[in-house]
Amino acid sequence: DVVVPARALISVFYKDGVVELAQYLSSLGCEILSTGGTAKKMREAGLIVKDVSEHTMSPECLDGRVKTLHPKIHGGLLAVRGNEQHEKDMVDNEIGVIDITILNLYPFEATVAKGSAFEECVENIDIGGPSMLRSTAKNHAFTTIVTDPSQYGELMETMKANGGGTTLAMRKRFAARAFATSAAYDSAIASYFAAQLDTNAPVAARVYKPEYSLKYGCNPQQKPAGISSILGHPLPFSVVNGKPGYINLLDAANAWQLVKELKEATGLAAATSFKHVSPAGAALAVPLTATECKAFEITEEDAAKLTPGALAYIRARNADPMCSFGDFAAISDVVDEDTAMYLKKEVSDGIIAAGYTPEALEILKSKKKGNFIVLEATPNFVPPSMEYREVFGMAFSQKRNDIIVSNDHLTKTVTKAAVTDDVKRDMILGCITLKYTQSNSVGFCKNGQMIGVGAGQQSRVDCVKLAGRKVATFSLRQHEQVLGLQFKAGVKRQDRVNARVRYIEGDFTAEERVRWEANFDEVPAPLTAETKAAYMDALNGVILSSDAFFPFRDGIDHASKVGVSFVVQPGGSVADASIIECCDEYGMGMCMTGVRLFHH
Amino acid sequence: DVVVPARALISVFYKDGVVELAQYLSSLGCEILSTGGTAKKMREAGLIVKDVSEHTMSPECLDGRVKTLHPKIHGGLLAVRGNEQHEKDMVDNEIGVIDITILNLYPFEATVAKGSAFEECVENIDIGGPSMLRSTAKNHAFTTIVTDPSQYGELMETMKANGGGTTLAMRKRFAARAFATSAAYDSAIASYFAAQLDTNAPVAARVYKPEYSLKYGCNPQQKPAGISSILGHPLPFSVVNGKPGYINLLDAANAWQLVKELKEATGLAAATSFKHVSPAGAALAVPLTATECKAFEITEEDAAKLTPGALAYIRARNADPMCSFGDFAAISDVVDEDTAMYLKKEVSDGIIAAGYTPEALEILKSKKKGNFIVLEATPNFVPPSMEYREVFGMAFSQKRNDIIVSNDHLTKTVTKAAVTDDVKRDMILGCITLKYTQSNSVGFCKNGQMIGVGAGQQSRVDCVKLAGRKVATFSLRQHEQVLGLQFKAGVKRQDRVNARVRYIEGDFTAEERVRWEANFDEVPAPLTAETKAAYMDALNGVILSSDAFFPFRDGIDHASKVGVSFVVQPGGSVADASIIECCDEYGMGMCMTGVRLFHH
């Protein structure tokens, strides 16, 4: 298994460490073949180096294009050692073994990134390098292929531990890496060609560099699973604490984009609370009213001290606190101690944010027995313009949805009722939230806070019904009868949250009622249907956003029952005129953005 | 730009069409170089072929391992035509131009798939082929690289149209394809090595072959967009009629898997009705009762004649006919005339099925002014085991969720109440439906039909509430007061469907009531809350399936209000004992499958 190299071929772009390596090989009596700049550098260090053209006994020609594409090189790499015929052929044809190849390929992307012209990029495509790489890797039973300076250390350590020889296990690992390097190199070229060809791209290659392996994918039976960066790009986040799962990271990717865009569009700190790749809540840093403080169980004194990021997260988390149980949080700002302390109290899986103060990080790291997931977003990360997705053995490709809804999209008010600037801020909140909500979706918001998100439905009116019920529950949590519920001592926070929701819904089975009543020393008077209806009738100022047009007026009819005064939607339906008429009937103000926001 | 080839190098694994191509090249006076089996085949066809070793004037050695790795070959490919020094070097070194290379690489995966030993797989790694491919592709300003027999036609047509010469545009496109082929080849090798080494592949390359370009992606602003096959695999469908959009195809991919697996697991024809990448309904071919016929507006006579596929689709479509408006349908069987006639009446976007009778196809092609989308599933299509998905500039990879829930997963009844075989059939229906429903999700079913699907929610109990309301609406559509509604003449089918739903829901605004009442000559008596409650109290036999465990008993409590007698779910929660206790309280029978079915 151990091979002591008699001859090495060294030709590298990155020259760090190559002299030391060559000196080591030379000290073993290994002959060094080399070319150009690499040979020069080694000679300057006092090494004896033989030129490849001297070795092949071929004159330099065609600007050196075929220097190494020669039987004396490839025969030396590919011959089966110990095979009688091969040994004889080598003698007859004056082919000497080459046992180790040290080379690296100048990344093709780097040439492209320089802004070089097409011809220059093509001229930079390495032909000799990949051929030697592949020959050496194929014959790894005998030969060693080293493709990255980071491998020099391991190479020399292994050789020193094995009497100056390489081991089969190492050669095999290095061969695997070499083939992957070659695949990546040609993928980059293929992608570049495809982009150049624009319409007629014959194939597209996407090259992924595994960064984290995951315990499993969407489900435990889906192993292996992992997260890769797209070659040449960083990951959009780094893991600061914990071991995120597949769905955590889907949540994080969507949640982070949501808060980042919200902050860009409004200038306010933003936060969201994700579950299963849709937001349970999302909000901006808008101060809490006294009633909201009571409903969200925070003192007015504490609320006054909150940083914008904390304020936004408290709003996001309290939109639908039953759903936000075990959420994945995202905050547009650097997380401070206050925010961390608030998060520590809540049942939550993880967070992604712009950064963390050292104090905040300590607190978060101690959450969930140290397993709370903390991700830090990569600053100024820009994803590639096109995105690919495999479903059932085919690939869907599309340009990213890179529109950020802003005031520029809210210039078209189509109703008699007007739309004010404050309302527009919340319309932006609604639109950007839906951009990262599974379709079909609608969302209701007020005071810089989503108060009902209806995700993943099969009809628009179902979205409105679903989210409308959330608006009712959210709003009734501020009804004095709900705020006044007197829980037994020792009833936990999440149990109080759930008990209030069930009190509002009121549809207990007999078994449920018994358990619910156990939360109280004295059974509260029911919240009657009449009380609820009266409260909801008085509600107004709610904004309804929709990820696509309303095909029928029924959605607006339903929305009128949960305090909606404003609507924002793309428009573009044959029913637009009747939708506008419907809004006018209810006195709603509506903007049409022209921007559809389906998300899957 | 046009190059008439003086010399060609041909070495192919797939020999179809190569003789015809060589004859054409030969007829232009082009010399043919070749090797081994390819040379033999061409000579047998009467062609004059020169061996590569004769051309290089090098003796055959090392079992032919370095035959083409020779300056006379690569110089002939790489020389810059018209460059004075290069031209001189070619003369001095007796290097003749090679203008076109026709080769294909025997797919490395195929060697592996044969079950070959590691050494044999490595022995099969092609070295000479990829080197020639890359040299020819690099120098495409002058040379043509042909890597797939499917390119022969275009090659010859282009040459015929250009006086026997190739064009730069074509050479560039072929070069792009060649680099992608090379990338894919080495990716397969790298992946194999990584698997052998039991580590993550250092990089993974996915190579896609664009098949259809789409008008846009998820939204109109997302251009370009397209569908690609994964290189080496067919597409899972073919387009028979219409121009599918991005979301249509996401629907089709999921819907087809759903019905295919349902049929495999139950032996019954299956159908589903998709909207926004989740099912509005899914069903098996179970005969309709007289009341169901009435509720679904089909005569018992017609119902008796339905083929299984049609029967399944009628059930699927009628689970939630308001949501199924404009659906994408999938049927496990060949679609016949009856099914097509039924589909023609409904507002629907498209269908994917195992096939179509000629009569059925004619009917479907005439739907939507000829724009109805008709897809035919590729028989026996098997997608690659791993799937990749890019989100926000990173790639998620996971093994496909290839478990098909069957009776084998239903052996663990954990409750006092038992679970019968008929119930198990519907449990399978529920589980497979949820496998293709956006998470979180639960589904209710009865009589081989999903009667309430709750998709895309942020808490389990919200799924149950959402889908539970659908169960109530579905069931009440069979209440005699609803069946007895007397519509005015001329009220359209979908308007009748919607009016019945609104009658059941009953929560009209004043404006809505006026419009609703206009459907009738005589205003129907309201369906009172008491009537509805009594009807729902009597309902039983409904099966609840859940894509993941119940974290709290509240979901089961809610389910008890909509006639649930059976539950199927993976189990695995710390709350399992209390969930079982809860089911026992309500007398429900529950199976735990151990299989989680999250889907994103």
Side-chain angles (χ1 to χ4, degrees), chain A residues 63 65 78 86 125 131 138 182 186 203-204 208 218 276 390 398 465 505 507 553 561 596, chain B residues 63 65 78 86 125 131 138 180 182 186 208 218 276 390 398 440 465 505 507 515 561 596 600:
Chain A
D63 296 326
R65 288 185 166 213
L78 285 166
H86 283 212
I125 295 174
S131 288
K138 172 170 175 157
S182 159
D186 280 3
V203 280
Y208 303 130
C218 246
H276 273 283
E390 295 175 12
Q398 62 177 353
K465 289 179 193 170
E505 293 176 341
D507 57 341
R553 58 172 284 164
K561 289 176 255 176
R596 198 173 81 181
Chain B
D63 295 327
R65 288 183 166 215
L78 284 166
H86 283 213
I125 294 173
S131 289
K138 171 169 175 158
S182 160
D186 279 4
Y208 303 130
C218 247
H276 273 282
E390 295 175 14
Q398 62 176 354
N440 289 322
K465 288 178 193 173
E505 293 176 340
D507 56 342
R515 275 173 287 112
K561 289 176 257 176
R596 197 174 82 181
H600 283 295

Side-chain angles (χ1 to χ4, degrees), chain A residues 212-284:
Chain A
Y212 299 106
S213 68
L214 304 174
K215 205 167 155 198
Y216 50 77
C218 246
N219 296 291
Q221 65 270 25
Q222 297 182 257
K223 284 181 257 194
I227 294 294
S228 303
S229 57
I230 297 177
L231 205 71
H233 296 260
L235 272 189
F237 67 89
S238 55
V239 178
V240 180
N241 194 59
K243 283 202 159 75
Y246 191 96
I247 296 176
N248 290 143
L249 291 171
L250 278 179
D251 279 343
N254 285 284
W256 172 251
Q257 292 180 86
L258 195 170
V259 297
K260 185 173 164 283
E261 293 184 12
L262 265 184
K263 179 151 190 188
E264 276 171 40
T266 66
L268 296 172
T272 186
S273 169
F274 257 62
K275 284 280 290 287
H276 273 283
V277 208
S278 283
L284 299 169

Side-chain angles (χ1 to χ4, degrees), chain A residues 93-159:
Chain A
N93 295 282
E94 297 178 53
I95 294 171
V97 291
I98 301 173
D99 298 314
I100 182 163
T101 304
I102 294 148
L103 64 80
N104 43 62
L105 306 175
Y106 177 64
F108 186 75
E109 294 95 330
T111 308
V112 174
K114 278 186 205 157
S116 311
F118 179 73
E119 289 68 25
E120 197 185 329
C121 290
V122 170
E123 188 56 41
N124 265 280
I125 295 174
D126 193 342
I127 299 293
S131 288
M132 290 188 286
L133 177 157
R134 299 181 77 261
S135 287
T136 317
K138 172 170 175 157
N139 209 22
H140 69 269
F142 312 103
T143 54
T144 306
I145 175 67
V146 181
T147 46
D148 194 298
S150 70
Q151 297 172 305
Y152 298 168
E154 184 184 349
L155 174 70
M156 287 193 278
E157 272 167 42
T158 303
M159 289 177 76

